[in-house]
Amino acid sequence: MQNSTAPPSKRSKFEKQMDKVVYFLFFVLFLMAFIGSIVFGVATDNDLDGQRMKRWYLKPDQSKIFFDPKRVVMASVYHFLTALMLYNYFIPISLYVSIEVVKVFQSSFINNDINLYYEPSDRPARSRTSNLNEELGQVDTILSDKTGTLTCNSMEFLKCSVAGTAYGHGVTEAERGMAMREGESVNGWDQSKDPSAANPHIKGFNFKDERIMDGKWVHEPQAHIIEKFFRLLAICHTAIPDVDEETGKISYEAESPDEAAFVIAAREIGFEFYKRTQTSVAVREYNPETGSKVERVYTVLNVLEFNSARKRMSVIVRNEEGKLLLLSKGADSVMFERLAKSSRSFEEETRNHVSDYADSGLRTLILAYRELDEEEYRIFNQKFTEAKNSVSADRETLIDEAAEKVERNLILLGATAVEDKLQEGVPACIDKLAQAGIKIWVLTGDKMETAINIGFSCCLLRQGMKQIIINLENPEILSLEKTGDKDAIAKASKENVLRQITDGKALLTGPSGTAEIFALIIDGNSLSYALADDMKHMFLDLAMSCASVICCRSSPKQKALVTRLVKIGTRKTTLAIGDGANDVGMLQEADIGVGISGVEGMQAAMASDVAIAQFRYLERLLLVHGHWCYRRLSSMICYFFYKNIAFGFSIWLYEAYTSFSAQPVYGDWFLSFYNVFFSALPVAALGIFEQDVSAASCLKYPLLYQEGVKNLLFGWRRVLHWLGNGFYTAIVVFFFCSTALQHQAFNPDGKTVGMDVLGGTMYTSIVWAVNLQMALSVCYFTKIQRGLIIYCLVMLYIFFLGFGSLSPSLSAIGYKLFSEVLAPAASYWFTCILVITVALLPFYAYSAIETRFFPMYHQMIQRLESGKHDDDPEYCDMMRQRLLQAPTSVGFSARLAARANKLRRKNKNQPQ
């Protein structure tokens, strides 16, 4: 309960920006009404010349308020209120309703996407709210849980290096992703995916190598080292065997999944750990001489346990021959320096293998041993026992010092490589998201070493990337913790974290900061101080300057606080993804919460905005559906503003032409039906069906996603462009129509144009212009879209005929307007054609110039997809390079680039 947060009410940044545009249009509306009222008041005041009325035809003496020169102020106020109602088309009230309808359809597309359906668990994607669809296309930072989200929380023994020889043909998700990126076949084996495998998949064991399996290791040149290697794995651990009484099969309960994987690997090779007592372990070993298994018992004398400071574990055992053996396994950073000088014959090969394993995202440990003489062990055991029995504050230090003296002069055996099994497709998904310019943070409750290994596995970290590690495991803090002075510990810890953050920022801004890539790794204790009000902005600056950020040992509350800091500090869209109840606060705090309906229950999915079954589906959810939703809504809203301004401003222009008489140029029914029958349906179809590029192109060119992150399609520049286009259309329609029809006979009878003819001509031009503008704007012309545009234009003439056939008391100025006045007049048709052409010409010219000389990402892709420039391969290659040149620091694409740069530097430095 202490880690819980109240569920917030989420509203997209898109809608908030749309509100600002509406406020701006409110201001324009008030300004237009105010200007009109002032002009109307001045004209009315000047209408009285002595006792004579200049505009006698308005009959101001019979007016209650309007046009009465003696009541100018009240007349202006009444005109202002009338104008507000008359120009209300500037405020698209129906837009909000249309958006909600469109978002419901967009959510249904996400829910019914077969590519987001996970068949093993029968779980489709679920958009649990329609308010945030467009936010999916604007995500700048993803904050992800690890266990159950990136990984399956299943360790598997994959490879090993023994005596300088690499064994194991397994392939990791990271290697598979890199091979796919290069267009190469994956040369590796995965038992869980091999239908031809004779035996069922063994959990924790994904190893295959004919040279050492099935007892064939005895024929290897270094068979005696292989024997010691796997015997060490069978003995050096704290696992407990669990024998099934019915089947006799043995399973293991271990402190960590990787320790269980080591014991299982030893069993599969021929060294089966089957029994543990308080003082011994029993192992069934393969006997090379007899070819059968023999049972051996090893007496466990001491266990030197693993901790984050030691980064290694050792056991001291006595074998049946009476020899004392120290068996040790640990991180390469502490094990290589403890090797004896005489046992480094294959150290270089092992180091190279470890580097390759780490680059493939595998977790590595070095295995070594040595024999102890009785006197050396007696001295160690005495000191070790005294340290363990100590009750002083420095008990742990004494134990570590005793262990330090015996864990030296080790003999190298080799290295293990274990994969923390990632969910399928995670490295490829992260690579695509990174190419799309999305930053990815990992927030996990696991220890730092585990999180770092997962960072390598999913390609968030790589060899050569500088790691800025912030923690409180230093002698100063450890010594203060022994005193128990909480105030002093807190003060020193805060200063220490501040110093590490400052040093990290100095690294970024230093001489090497411009050339090297950095990753930030911070533990939970340090994070509690880094999130303090006086330090959190420095921490955020450092984190945002790093290519990857990993927060370890994070509590659920800290996950939510980090998410809030990123959301508020960057003012950009954040997405949190997790699968457990401990991720709920983070999901609720982010702009978008994505829950994974996994093995940890449905709490995260139920508290999320969107629920998916696998992390890899995030790629399609964002790059395809997110981009489409953003594109559709931005185009729909901009067009909505355009068509309403074109219509509303034409009314204002006629008002100005008639001294702001408050008389609309269009009839009441014409005003009412404009947004109902003649322009509403095509714009709704635009928001539902529009696709600027195909789904395959969205995934092929992830840089396209940056249009949403940078808000290129709904920024103020884009909005003002469409508003200006609306004003321009209204100006062209009014002035061209009024000028073309002025001072001339409208038909053969010699009748001149009245308000009805001018209004009918303007209305026709407006409806045609906005619908043809729609046709020019649409990228994905479906039959529905085409049919709705035709429907609106046909409905215009049906309305003209139907409304005009009503009695004059109902149709007023529309009586027989089209059938007897407009349709027979050639000038009506010529004027409409001219006005529509001039109104659309600038947009067409602007689009053509932009597409050819200043193309946006989607326009480049459209030209490549159209194939119109296949005869100009140089131009096509230039566009492809611009689209595929997505500079990224994480993902296997960045890892491949780093490898290529390393090889180029190596070749350059070699003598010719």
Side-chain angles (χ1 to χ4, degrees):
M1 292 299 293
Q2 292 178 347
N3 287 320
S4 65
T5 57
S9 176
K10 296 183 180 180
R11 193 160 182 261
S12 71
K13 293 181 175 65
F14 201 89
E15 289 187 357
K16 293 176 183 177
Q17 183 171 349
M18 187 176 71
D19 290 345
K20 295 177 182 178
V21 178
V22 172
Y23 296 149
F24 171 73
L25 292 179
F26 259 117
F27 170 76
V28 174
L29 171 61
F30 274 83
L31 182 63
M32 291 167 55
F34 180 75
I35 292 174
S37 300
I38 295 297
V39 174
F40 175 79
V42 172
T44 302
D45 187 49
N46 294 335
D47 204 25
L48 186 60
D49 184 12
Q51 296 298 320
R52 186 173 67 86
M53 298 291 183
K54 294 181 180 178
R55 296 184 296 178
W56 53 268
Y57 50 87
L58 295 177
K59 300 180 180 179
D61 52 332
Q62 297 180 11
S63 174
K64 295 181 179 179
I65 295 178
F66 274 99
F67 308 112
D68 188 350
K70 299 177 181 179
R71 305 178 67 183
V72 172
V73 176
M74 286 304 299
S76 299
V77 172
Y78 272 56
H79 181 277
F80 178 77
L81 298 176
T82 304
L84 289 180
M85 292 184 288
L86 192 60
Y87 310 148
N88 69 81
Y89 292 92
F90 273 75
I91 311 303
I93 299 173
S94 60
L95 173 60
Y96 288 90
V97 178
S98 301
I99 287 177
E100 291 305 317
V101 173
V102 165
K103 285 186 175 182
V104 170
F105 278 95
Q106 292 177 348
S107 295
S108 70
F109 292 155
I110 295 175
N111 297 341
N112 293 287
D113 189 346
I114 192 65
N115 294 299
L116 298 180
Y117 172 69
Y118 188 57
E119 187 174 0
S121 61
D122 189 28
R123 288 197 176 106
R126 280 286 175 262
S127 178
R128 298 174 48 81
T129 176
S130 61
N131 291 341
L132 305 172
N133 294 344
E134 68 278 8
E135 292 273 84
L136 292 171
Q138 296 182 282
V139 174
D140 178 75
T141 305
I142 294 175
L143 302 105
S144 174
D145 177 42
K146 181 190 76 69
T147 306
T149 303
L150 296 175
T151 70
C152 304
N153 198 25
S154 173
M155 304 291 181
E156 292 193 337
F157 187 90
L158 198 69
K159 297 180 181 181
C160 62
S161 171
V162 186
T165 303
Y167 295 98
H169 304 315
V171 58
T172 66
E173 284 291 331
E175 290 175 316
R176 187 176 287 107
M178 285 189 286
M180 290 174 60
R181 174 72 175 175
E182 289 290 286
E184 300 173 353
S185 59
V186 182
N187 297 319
W189 179 81
D190 189 339
Q191 185 179 12
S192 63
K193 299 179 180 180
D194 186 3
S196 63
N199 299 320
H201 174 60
I202 301 171
K203 184 178 180 181
F205 188 73
N206 196 16
F207 179 87
K208 181 180 180 181
D209 197 313
E210 298 80 1
R211 293 174 293 176
I212 62 173
M213 296 188 70
D214 300 324
K216 295 179 181 178
W217 57 267
V218 298
H219 304 299
E220 287 292 293
Q222 302 288 347
H224 65 290
I225 298 181
I226 296 175
E227 180 181 20
K228 293 175 181 177
F229 181 91
F230 285 101
R231 180 182 291 146
L232 188 152
L233 289 180
I235 298 173
C236 184
H237 56 79
T238 58
I240 299 174
D242 183 12
V243 182
D244 190 325
E245 295 180 357
E246 295 182 0
T247 62
K249 292 184 178 180
I250 300 176
S251 59
Y252 301 103
E253 297 292 334
E255 292 182 353
S256 62
D258 50 350
E259 191 166 77
F262 292 141
V263 182
I264 292 171
R267 181 190 68 192
E268 296 301 314
I269 298 300
F271 298 81
E272 183 181 29
F273 163 61
Y274 69 94
K275 184 179 180 181
R276 176 185 290 278
T277 67
Q278 290 186 345
T279 58
S280 67
V281 294
V283 180
R284 296 190 183 99
E285 298 183 5
Y286 182 80
N287 190 335
E289 297 178 357
T290 63
S292 60
K293 286 190 176 183
V294 296
E295 296 183 355
R296 296 181 184 273
V297 177
Y298 296 86
T299 304
V300 179
L301 303 177
N302 304 97
V303 178
L304 311 182
E305 296 180 352
F306 175 91
N307 61 46
S308 57
R310 283 169 37 79
K311 297 183 180 180
R312 62 190 182 277
M313 174 198 175
S314 301
V315 296
I316 298 176
V317 300
R318 189 186 296 275
N319 64 13
E320 293 179 344
E321 288 78 25
K323 292 182 179 180
L324 288 171
L325 301 174
L326 170 70
L327 309 179
S328 184
K329 62 183 181 183
D332 58 315
S333 59
V334 297
M335 292 295 290
F336 281 121
E337 63 189 28
R338 286 170 170 75
L339 298 179
K341 293 182 179 179
S342 59
S343 65
R344 297 174 177 263
S345 56
F346 47 85
E347 179 186 355
E348 183 179 354
E349 292 87 347
T350 304
R351 283 182 180 272
N352 291 335
H353 292 156
V354 168
S355 178
D356 292 340
Y357 294 156
D359 211 25
S360 299
L362 297 173
R363 306 174 64 171
T364 60
L365 286 179
I366 303 301
L367 273 58
Y369 84 105
R370 79 179 181 102
E371 293 187 14
L372 302 176
D373 58 50
E374 295 290 342
E375 179 62 20
E376 182 182 12
Y377 174 71
R378 185 187 65 77
I379 296 173
F380 159 76
N381 190 50
Q382 180 180 354
K383 292 183 178 179
F384 186 72
T385 303
E386 291 175 356
K388 289 187 67 175
N389 295 334
S390 174
V391 294
S392 62
D394 58 349
R395 176 177 179 273
E396 297 298 327
T397 303
L398 294 175
I399 293 175
D400 290 347
E401 289 176 354
E404 182 76 22
K405 292 181 180 179
V406 75
E407 292 173 325
R408 54 186 176 83
N409 297 325
L410 301 176
I411 299 173
L412 178 65
L413 293 176
T416 61
V418 175
E419 181 182 19
D420 186 356
K421 197 69 175 177
L422 293 174
Q423 289 186 13
E424 184 181 352
V426 166
C429 176
I430 288 178
D431 184 65
K432 282 288 185 183
L433 296 175
Q435 290 183 56
I438 302 174
K439 305 176 187 67
I440 302 172
W441 293 29
V442 175
L443 311 179
T444 177
D446 289 340
K447 60 184 181 180
M448 184 172 290
E449 291 81 4
T450 304
I452 291 175
N453 283 320
I454 289 300
F456 278 103
S457 297
C458 61
C459 301
L460 286 174
L461 302 176
R462 68 171 191 269
Q463 297 294 316
M465 180 182 284
K466 301 296 182 181
Q467 296 180 9
I468 301 174
I469 298 178
I470 300 178
N471 58 34
L472 294 176
E473 295 180 1
N474 57 66
E476 178 188 356
I477 304 299
L478 294 177
S479 62
L480 282 173
E481 288 178 348
K482 296 174 184 178
T483 65
D485 188 345
K486 294 183 179 180
D487 294 336
I489 294 172
K491 182 179 179 181
S493 298
K494 185 174 183 179
E495 292 175 352
N496 192 281
V497 172
L498 179 61
R499 184 177 68 252
Q500 292 183 67
I501 292 176
T502 305
D503 293 344
K505 294 184 71 174
L507 281 175
L508 294 172
T509 56
S512 62
T514 55
E516 295 180 335
I517 306 299
F518 290 86
L520 175 64
I521 303 160
I522 183 170
D523 66 3
N525 291 334
S526 305
L527 192 60
S528 61
Y529 295 101
L531 293 174
D533 291 339
D534 56 346
M535 202 186 303
K536 62 183 181 182
H537 295 296
M538 292 180 61
F539 167 68
L540 181 62
D541 290 342
L542 172 62
M544 296 307 295
S545 300
C546 293
S548 299
V549 180
I550 299 176
C551 300
C552 321
R553 292 296 188 189
S554 304
S555 68
K557 187 71 172 179
Q558 286 178 326
K559 291 182 179 182
L561 291 175
V562 170
T563 305
R564 181 186 301 173
L565 175 63
V566 176
K567 179 178 69 173
I568 297 176
T570 62
R571 296 183 179 180
K572 294 181 179 179
T573 303
T574 57
L575 180 147
I577 179 170
D579 72 314
N582 61 335
D583 301 317
V584 169
M586 175 174 70
L587 302 185
Q588 292 177 340
E589 191 61 53
D591 292 305
I592 309 168
V594 177
I596 292 183
S597 48
V599 295
E600 293 192 28
M602 296 294 292
Q603 295 97 326
M606 295 298 291
S608 65
D609 303 305
V610 182
I612 56 178
Q614 294 275 285
F615 181 89
R616 69 177 186 270
Y617 294 155
L618 202 60
E619 176 185 350
R620 184 174 180 87
L621 181 67
L622 298 186
L623 301 189
V624 178
H625 289 285
H627 173 73
W628 280 351
C629 290
Y630 169 76
R631 168 77 187 189
R632 288 164 178 168
L633 282 178
S634 60
S635 300
M636 172 187 173
I637 294 171
C638 287
Y639 177 81
F640 219 106
F641 288 139
Y642 155 78
K643 75 179 184 66
N644 278 27
I645 285 178
F647 188 67
F649 194 59
S650 66
I651 298 173
W652 187 86
L653 290 173
Y654 180 78
E655 275 268 273
Y657 185 71
T658 59
S659 301
F660 294 97
S661 61
Q663 172 66 48
V665 68
Y666 311 121
D668 293 340
W669 288 103
F670 288 85
L671 293 171
S672 300
F673 285 173
Y674 175 75
N675 274 328
V676 177
F677 294 115
F678 307 138
S679 62
L681 294 179
V683 71
L686 176 72
I688 296 173
F689 300 111
E690 174 68 334
Q691 293 180 19
D692 52 354
V693 299
S694 64
S697 294
C698 288
L699 298 174
K700 183 178 180 180
Y701 305 107
L703 195 61
L704 173 68
Y705 190 79
Q706 280 294 302
E707 288 189 349
V709 177
K710 297 176 181 178
N711 200 21
L712 298 180
L713 303 181
F714 197 60
W716 275 106
R717 179 180 177 183
R718 190 82 170 183
V719 171
L720 292 176
H721 161 78
W722 277 98
L723 297 182
N725 193 21
F727 285 116
Y728 168 80
T729 300
I731 291 171
V732 169
V733 168
F734 173 74
F735 284 105
F736 271 64
C737 288
S738 60
T739 303
L741 301 176
Q742 189 178 26
H743 303 310
Q744 60 176 313
F746 181 71
N747 57 26
D749 297 333
K751 295 181 179 179
T752 56
V753 172
M755 186 182 73
D756 54 347
V757 175
L758 177 61
T761 308
M762 289 176 59
Y763 198 82
T764 304
S765 301
I766 287 282
V767 172
W768 270 91
V770 298
N771 279 282
L772 292 182
Q773 178 75 70
M774 166 67 71
L776 289 176
S777 304
V778 171
C779 299
Y780 188 58
F781 228 136
T782 62
K783 293 181 179 179
I784 296 176
Q785 187 77 52
R786 187 184 300 112
L788 289 176
I789 293 175
I790 296 173
Y791 163 81
C792 289
L793 296 176
V794 171
M795 278 298 296
L796 170 66
Y797 296 106
I798 293 176
F799 174 73
F800 266 133
L801 294 171
F803 185 67
S805 63
L806 299 177
S807 65
S809 60
L810 294 175
S811 58
I813 63 173
Y815 181 70
K816 303 292 185 181
L817 176 63
F818 183 75
S819 59
E820 295 186 0
V821 181
L822 297 180
S827 56
Y828 162 77
W829 299 104
F830 284 120
T831 301
C832 289
I833 293 172
L834 175 64
V835 169
I836 294 167
T837 303
V838 175
L840 298 178
L841 189 59
F843 177 84
Y844 180 81
Y846 174 84
S847 299
I849 293 172
E850 181 186 55
T851 303
R852 184 65 180 88
F853 299 104
F854 312 101
M856 299 176 69
Y857 295 133
H858 70 275
Q859 292 168 331
M860 295 183 196
I861 298 172
Q862 287 169 357
R863 300 188 75 173
L864 290 174
E865 287 183 335
S866 67
K868 294 179 179 179
H869 295 273
D870 290 345
D871 57 343
D872 190 355
E874 185 176 344
Y875 180 77
C876 292
D877 290 342
M878 181 270 293
M879 285 198 292
R880 287 193 184 92
Q881 289 175 6
R882 288 183 61 184
L883 288 166
L884 295 174
Q885 262 184 350
T888 176
S889 303
V890 300
F892 50 71
S893 296
R895 185 173 287 178
L896 288 171
R899 283 184 179 180
N901 291 334
K902 184 178 179 180
L903 286 174
R904 279 196 293 267
R905 288 195 299 269
K906 184 178 180 181
N907 294 333
K908 185 177 180 180
N909 294 331
Q910 286 180 350
Q912 300 295 325

